[in-house]
Amino acid sequence: MMVLAETLERAFSELRAQSPETLATGSEPEVTALLVSRLNAMVDGIGEGTDLWRSLVRSVGRSDECISYDGAHLAKQPDLTIWLTNRSARFPVTAEAKLIDGPNGKTEVLYCTQGIKRFIVGEYGWGTREAFMLGYVRDGAAIATKLVPYLAQAAHKATYGVISGPAAFDIASDNGRSQHARSFQFSHQPAPNHLPGEIVLWHIWFAAVE
């Protein structure tokens, strides 16, 4: 996961140099499309120092359809899907991305209600124990001053099953790793295998505006 995080950071940094206007003004799908394109170029060996990424990742998809944990939703669409070379294609690493732009109503509230929550209720990443949440920050917001206090509130802590964090890990971009209990159960599995276990979310908030 650290290699994935570092490569996501590197790809976004390159986009800041190549496509600053799109990062500053484009929609979330437009920014994500650029990020996915750059990550797949790195899978193809375009650019220096891509060997480790190529050995770990077979491809990156955008808005690829997946099913929810119980099959009730057959066309859920996480923003990024990272297929690893050494993992079953049924269980890729998923990432959800959100603009962070308070003046335009895109705050940590939306990030949680339409991002984090999707992992907690089993819409995304239900077959894995780790996933990414990406923020494209346009208003200078930071995880420490926005996301951390929001998730620390008693009501939100319960809603999102917060066990710990977000606590920073070692990359340059604003980041935090949080652990969450999940609220669903597998109906096709007998106890104790009916419980999905906890999930760790790796939050990376990229500065979309210099």
Side-chain angles (χ1 to χ4, degrees), residues 108 140-150 174 205:
E108 68 277 5
I143 288 174
T145 57
K146 294 294 184 178
L147 184 60
V148 170
Y150 183 83
D174 190 17
W205 285 20

Side-chain angles (χ1 to χ4, degrees), residues 108-150:
E108 68 277 5
V109 178
L110 185 70
Y111 180 90
C112 292
T113 58
Q114 296 186 24
I116 291 177
K117 186 176 180 181
R118 292 172 175 168
F119 293 100
I120 306 307
V121 301
E123 292 182 3
Y124 298 161
W126 52 267
T128 62
R129 301 293 293 271
E130 294 184 291
F132 285 102
M133 281 292 307
L134 308 180
Y136 306 145
V137 181
R138 291 177 174 164
D139 62 357
I143 288 174
T145 57
K146 294 294 184 178
L147 184 60
V148 170
Y150 183 83

